[in-house]
Amino acid sequence: MPRLEVDIDYLSDQLKGLLKIPSPTGFTDSITHAVVDELVRLGVEPEVTRRGAIRAKLKGKAKDPSRALIAHLDTLGAQVKLLKPNGRLEVVPIGSWSARFAEGARVTIFTEQGAYRGSILPLKASGHTYADEVDTQPTGWPYVEVRVDALVRDVADLQRLGFHVGDVVAIDTQAEFLDNGFIVSRHLDDKAGVAILLATLKAVVESGERLPVDTWFVLSIAEEVGVGAAAVLPHDVAAMVTIDNGTTAPGQASDEFGVTIAMADQTGPFDYHLTHELIRLARDNDIRHQRDVFRYYRSDSASAIEAGADVRTALATFGVDASHGYERIHMHALRSLAELMTAYVTSPVEIKRDAKALGSIEGFPHQPTAPAEPDIEPAEELSPRE
């Protein structure tokens, strides 16, 4: 199958639109509706689970061994823990992120009576009042609070306006798309992955080509709290590639340019054969790539394996600087990853035995174990060292 053309303007436009839709874990209905509408517009008929996860299948030339690409719709956020006597809100995080990145954030609080705007501030927010204590106070969720942009001075005022424990707090993205290709925003994890998945699907649909095998495009809604693919992955999928962020930081090989292919995360190594298939496809298609290992990271792949799915998994990422903070990526990585995903879904299946969930050893793959060829002359032909 010829290499498909990825519409980069479409990818960028989708990302801009997705970033405008609040979707903390547990509050994803709006983004589910938006993405389903886009899938239908592309000519695909999606399925939606009870809680709002999405999957859409493109039928291939063969049914099995089917494949899946997955990204997640949910983001980090917060939730009201307590209505405070001073008329402010104590909050706890949704997902794993530091209150250091919450300080100063503009937010929307969703109550049963409607949405309110506000800011997350440290308990000692006024330099004119607290002087150096503004800098010396601890960092953490017990040391921040939400100031609501309404006339509230106590708990009674909050209750009168309809605030309750458990209300969801969405963090503003503050997205900027720069002319030099950099994108700075909260929640690029994983809305950039969703945009890549949609751009890949669009490229396939518009090509009119039929894929080698049935291929699922899956969107989970609770990855940030560790559930993810476990609740939505079709049982007959043999191989799943997760699209998510790579952790660009000192000591990591991830990069904001090209594709970062994860070899392992905190749950262990990814599938050897599927991971190396992605590496080979990147080489064959001249797609810049690097490999990395993530110590403090889990993804939709982990949730599927931990739930007992017998599926090969891999993780292909776009490098994100300051992940789970105020994140930055470059369009080069998004384009590269979309190109790799189109190459993957259009490539022939390498392990045909995967069409059967159980079977004999026949056709089961081998991992390379032969000795490496030396790149120096045999020792007896070398001049003795003096």
Side-chain angles (χ1 to χ4, degrees):
M1 185 179 291
R3 181 168 173 173
L4 305 184
E5 189 72 25
V6 175
D7 187 338
I8 304 304
D9 290 336
Y10 172 85
L11 194 162
S12 178
D13 289 342
Q14 285 300 310
L15 179 54
K16 290 175 182 176
L18 291 164
L19 288 170
K20 292 177 181 177
I21 305 172
S23 60
T25 309
F27 203 80
T28 53
D29 289 0
S30 293
I31 201 164
T32 292
H33 279 285
V35 172
V36 165
D37 288 346
E38 180 59 21
L39 291 172
V40 171
R41 194 189 69 80
L42 290 174
V44 179
E45 191 61 42
E47 301 174 338
V48 182
T49 68
R50 291 185 185 92
R51 295 195 302 135
I54 306 167
R55 63 191 191 194
K57 181 171 71 174
L58 294 186
K59 290 186 177 181
K61 297 175 183 176
K63 182 179 184 297
D64 296 312
S66 63
R67 293 165 162 165
L69 301 184
I70 187 168
H72 65 89
L73 296 170
D74 61 308
T75 69
L76 303 169
Q79 197 164 19
V80 174
K81 172 67 171 64
L82 181 70
L83 309 186
K84 300 180 67 174
N86 64 354
R88 300 195 176 187
L89 306 172
E90 181 181 337
V91 292
V92 292
I94 294 174
S96 299
W97 63 298
S98 172
R100 186 184 304 276
F101 287 106
E103 293 181 3
R106 293 288 290 162
V107 303
T108 301
I109 310 102
F110 294 100
T111 76
E112 293 174 7
Q113 293 183 212
Y116 290 89
R117 296 287 288 161
S119 301
I120 298 180
L121 299 175
L123 300 184
K124 298 177 180 178
S126 171
H128 291 103
T129 300
Y130 299 105
D132 292 345
E133 292 181 56
V134 170
D135 297 318
T136 59
Q137 65 184 313
T139 298
W141 290 98
Y143 306 103
V144 297
E145 60 189 4
V146 174
R147 179 188 66 196
V148 180
D149 296 334
L151 183 56
V152 285
R153 295 191 177 96
D154 53 29
V155 172
D157 286 341
L158 288 169
Q159 291 174 333
R160 174 177 53 81
L161 295 179
F163 287 92
H164 290 280
V165 171
D167 289 342
V168 171
V169 180
I171 315 302
D172 283 13
T173 62
Q174 298 175 269
E176 292 186 43
F177 286 67
L178 305 181
D179 292 340
N180 61 7
F182 280 107
I183 304 167
V184 185
S185 178
R186 299 176 192 264
H187 310 326
L188 295 171
D189 170 16
D190 188 30
K191 293 192 174 179
V194 177
I196 289 167
L197 185 146
L198 290 172
T200 302
L201 178 60
K202 179 176 183 287
V204 173
V205 169
E206 292 186 348
S207 73
E209 299 286 345
R210 196 169 186 189
L211 298 178
V213 294
D214 285 0
T215 302
W216 291 90
F217 292 78
V218 183
L219 296 146
S220 66
I221 57 166
E223 190 274 347
E224 294 294 359
V225 295
V227 180
V232 67
L233 185 67
H235 295 298
D236 59 350
V237 168
M240 181 183 78
V241 177
T242 297
I243 305 171
D244 213 327
N245 69 292
T247 58
T248 302
Q252 297 291 151
S254 298
D255 201 291
E256 292 172 273
F257 296 83
V259 178
T260 299
I261 298 172
M263 309 305 292
D265 67 6
Q266 69 184 54
T267 62
F270 291 102
D271 182 78
Y272 181 92
H273 300 286
L274 182 56
T275 298
H276 282 78
E277 181 181 355
L278 295 180
I279 293 169
R280 179 186 60 77
L281 287 168
R283 286 176 180 155
D284 292 349
N285 288 275
D286 195 27
I287 297 171
R288 176 175 170 174
H289 64 285
Q290 50 276 331
R291 310 180 196 189
D292 208 349
V293 169
F294 304 140
R295 288 190 182 95
Y296 311 110
Y297 185 112
R298 52 177 288 124
S299 67
D300 281 298
S301 292
S303 69
I305 295 299
E306 290 173 350
D310 182 29
V311 58
R312 300 186 187 276
T313 64
L315 174 62
T317 76
F318 45 91
V320 164
D321 187 80
S323 60
H324 279 203
Y326 195 31
E327 301 167 335
R328 188 183 74 176
I329 57 177
H330 196 277
M331 184 57 72
H332 185 280
L334 305 188
R335 183 189 69 201
S336 300
L337 188 44
E339 291 173 346
L340 179 58
M341 292 301 94
T342 59
Y344 170 65
V345 298
T346 58
S347 65
V349 172
E350 291 191 340
I351 306 175
K352 294 182 171 53
R353 180 188 179 277
D354 282 353
K356 297 179 180 179
L358 290 170
S360 70
I361 194 67
E362 184 178 355
F364 191 76
H366 292 272
Q367 294 162 333
T369 58
E373 293 292 332
D375 61 355
I376 58 174
E377 297 295 325
E380 61 270 17
E381 295 182 13
L382 297 177
S383 300
R385 177 177 293 178
E386 296 182 1

